[in-house]
Amino acid sequence: DIQLTQSPSFLSASVGDRVTITCRASQDISSYLAWYQQKPGKAPELLIHAASSLQSGVPSRFRGSGSGTEFTLTISSLQPEDFATYYCQQLYSYPLTFGGGTKVDIK
Amino acid sequence: QVQLQESGPGLVKPSETLSLICTVSGYSIGRGYYWAWIRQPPGKGLEWIGSIYHSGSTYYNPSLKSRVTISVDTSQNQFSLRLTSVTAADTAVYYCARVVNSGSDYWGQGTLVTVSS
């Protein structure tokens, strides 16, 4: 199975901050990586697919980059509605796996 | 607009079988894509359970494979999950989702299933 390691697990930030979350894969997954945002009591929402493609309707302050084994999700200017938990997922091979999540909280 | 809705019992007794249905609207399952079940224990992360193609081909998480069956009914535009011999560790919010080749773009709202006597 491909393991995904997200870091940090938790981060505290302020509105307007630039935030970067990292997802490392245990083997090369090319660009088969997605990022999701999940708010309490809600289903995850797709932000980024194919490592760097912005899902339709997602604000441009979200940016995904990377390929191979190292990926990043960057929020250029954190907004109040961005406080949530973020997950990466690899779709390169079965079983599909998720990272452990990164909770972004208000400083 | 594509919508998915999970349905099924919210309480299942230990050792019994958990059965859920995902009803899809706004898109015909028979047109393609994979369709997945994903779960999330309370306060924990996401776990992929398995996926099915409209043709019926399936992929399962090896950690659950011996207990899981996912099937599709294109005439009803539904796909379903069966998980046998449940324990308290299977208590979770269960989501269904559509899987495109590089992400899951539509999700159901999720349904909490509690395993308890």
Side-chain angles (χ1 to χ4, degrees), chain A residues 36 38 42-43 49-50 87 94-95, chain B residues 40 48 59 95 102 104 107-108:
Chain A
Y36 302 90
Q38 186 179 33
K42 300 293 187 181
H49 61 95
Y87 294 94
Y94 291 105
Chain B
Q40 185 171 39
W48 174 78
Y59 295 90
Y95 296 101
S102 53
S104 292
W107 295 64

Side-chain angles (χ1 to χ4, degrees), chain A residues 21 23 29-36 46-55 62-74 88-91, chain B residues 101-103:
Chain A
I21 299 168
C23 179
I29 59 170
S30 185
S31 295
Y32 289 90
L33 189 99
W35 289 98
Y36 302 90
L46 181 64
L47 299 175
I48 302 287
H49 61 95
S52 60
S53 296
L54 193 67
Q55 177 69 1
F62 292 93
R63 179 175 175 269
S65 62
S67 66
T69 61
E70 185 148 341
F71 303 85
T72 58
L73 174 68
T74 301
C88 57
Q89 181 196 26
Q90 66 82 19
L91 297 100
Chain B
N101 64 352
S102 53

Side-chain angles (χ1 to χ4, degrees), chain B residues 60-117:
Chain B
Y60 297 133
N61 192 321
S63 68
L64 300 168
K65 187 173 184 177
S66 63
R67 299 193 291 132
V68 171
T69 303
I70 297 175
S71 57
V72 65
D73 184 344
T74 54
S75 67
Q76 297 293 318
N77 221 35
Q78 296 174 332
F79 62 105
S80 62
L81 169 69
R82 289 183 74 249
L83 182 65
T84 62
S85 304
V86 298
T87 69
D90 296 309
T91 293
V93 175
Y94 285 77
Y95 296 101
C96 57
R98 186 177 83 167
V99 185
V100 296
N101 64 352
S102 53
S104 292
D105 59 351
Y106 290 98
W107 295 64
Q109 65 185 26
T111 187
L112 174 63
V113 179
T114 301
V115 179
S116 175
S117 55

